Amino acid sequence: MAEWEKNIRRVEPYVPGEQPNRPGMIKLNTNENPYPPAPGVGLALKQLDTERLRLYPDPASTLLVEALAARNGLKSEQVFVGVGSDEVLALAFLTFFQSKKPVLFPDITYSFYEVWAQLYGIPYECQPLDEAFGIREEDYEKENGGIVLANPNAPTGLLVDPDFLRRILSKNQDVIVIVDEAYIDFGGESAVSLIPEFDNLLVVQTFSKSRSLAGMRIGAAFGQSGLIRYLNDVKYSFNSYTMDLTAQKLGAASLEDEGYFRETIQKIVNTRERVKAELKALGFRFGDSKANFIFATHPKLSAPELFEALKQENIYVRYFAKPRIRDYLRITIGTDGEMDVLVDFLKKYVKAADQ
Ligand SMILES: *Cc1c(COP(=O)(O)O)cnc(C)c1O
């Protein structure tokens, strides 16, 4: 090892889902939205004044922050925005988890939490989900330096209600509790309603899934103004101009079209429920996902083999070679047409395996 290598920060990075770009492929592997963003987003992009790009953007992202505050019944001081919720979460870990006690999150959850904890040297302890992948409330009653819960959880898709979160928050008032709501719009009730009750609650959301803007990188956090102030202090110590002008304008445009937003989500939810019935009929097993994906296993099929077989068909889903979930595939909900192709293939595949 060279002398200089001893001074290097070594980390094991998060591995994002593949982003293949093959003609005709069916991409069900990174929970993107199969429908385009609201029409107003395209319009806002066309109207963008490129001359304006010579100037720095508004460091406070006022336009976007105010639009988010209005939509969520909050004040601007209660809203923070960043480059995707990944950046928002990374800054939140850096800001709020300074304790020597471990931060708690489930053993099966968004694997980036572990990566950030390691990057920043934050002690953490994974809490095993129960056999049905449910969160065990009593695991979050021990001493800790903070709590992170994805709701609905990923990759399980399982949802807890605000009363469950209220109990966790009540028992953990001395630490920050982060609720990652990347998928909340697909069937859950947001914990934003708990913000007036708890000064230690940070709710994180994204425009990547329900708003079809993964390519634009927009995330947000909501909490009482004290929390948001601390988050901003760290952000301004890191990069004042995280949100570019385009992201601010397009994000705000997306929020203007509530009708399109609801319609798109309803389509995805309808498709999800229909595909659940079809997968069930084929012998797949899965929890009651309230997200835009289904996390399924089959008692007679090998998940990695099925994953590869699907890839041969140009259908991409997500497989995690990890303990407890190595028999599962996470399948994003695409359009009805895409899901028909998937289900037709699975019918043949299951039938062939039965013979
Ligand atoms: C997709 C996802 C995110 C990150 O989304 P961004 O695209 O960075 O906004 C955060 N948390 C969970 C649980 C996710 O699935």
Side-chain angles (χ1 to χ4, degrees), residues 135-151:
I135 298 168
R136 292 189 304 203
E137 206 175 318
E138 62 271 24
D139 286 345
Y140 298 87
E141 289 171 14
K142 60 183 84 160
E143 267 211 296
N144 66 72
I147 291 175
V148 188
L149 295 174
N151 192 42

Side-chain angles (χ1 to χ4, degrees), residues 248-298:
Q248 295 183 29
K249 294 228 188 234
L250 271 51
S254 163
L255 291 164
E256 276 173 21
D257 200 339
E258 187 70 19
Y260 180 87
F261 174 70
R262 294 201 176 280
E263 202 182 296
T264 306
I265 285 169
Q266 195 53 53
K267 275 201 278 192
I268 292 168
V269 168
N270 292 346
T271 307
R272 178 186 74 203
E273 296 308 313
R274 163 180 76 91
V275 172
K276 277 182 186 170
E278 289 175 318
L279 291 185
K280 198 167 169 216
L282 291 173
F284 284 92
R285 292 175 191 173
F286 43 85
D288 188 22
S289 170
K290 296 292 180 193
N292 66 337
F293 54 82
I294 298 171
F295 193 53
T297 184
H298 194 291

Side-chain angles (χ1 to χ4, degrees), residues 334-349:
T335 62
D336 276 310
E338 289 172 326
M339 301 317 276
D340 286 345
V341 175
L342 170 83
V343 171
D344 283 347
F345 174 76
L346 291 176
K347 278 182 188 159
K348 283 185 267 169
Y349 191 85

Side-chain angles (χ1 to χ4, degrees), residues 14 30-31 82-89 109-113 116 150-154 180-183 204-209 213-214 217-220 293 330:
Y14 172 77
T30 50
N31 298 341
V83 183
S85 56
D86 283 344
E87 186 192 65
V88 174
L89 286 162
T109 191
Y110 190 39
S111 48
F112 227 139
Y113 303 155
W116 288 314
N151 192 42
N153 196 12
D180 178 355
E181 294 190 334
Y183 302 101
V204 177
Q205 294 184 0
T206 176
F207 283 50
S208 297
K209 280 88 184 215
L213 283 170
R217 313 303 300 126
I218 305 172
F293 54 82
R330 192 195 66 191

Side-chain angles (χ1 to χ4, degrees), residues 172-236:
N172 290 283
Q173 300 201 33
D174 296 338
V175 296
I176 302 303
V177 177
I178 298 178
V179 180
D180 178 355
E181 294 190 334
Y183 302 101
I184 197 71
D185 297 323
F186 298 105
E189 198 183 319
S190 174
V192 164
S193 61
L194 300 178
I195 288 173
E197 274 174 75
F198 297 99
D199 61 4
N200 60 326
L201 166 63
L202 190 78
V203 180
V204 177
Q205 294 184 0
T206 176
F207 283 50
S208 297
K209 280 88 184 215
S210 56
R211 292 191 176 274
S212 312
L213 283 170
M216 205 60 243
R217 313 303 300 126
I218 305 172
F222 310 111
Q224 288 193 15
S225 55
L227 273 194
I228 299 302
R229 203 174 311 123
Y230 283 119
L231 204 45
N232 270 313
D233 287 346
V234 170
K235 175 202 127 158
Y236 285 116

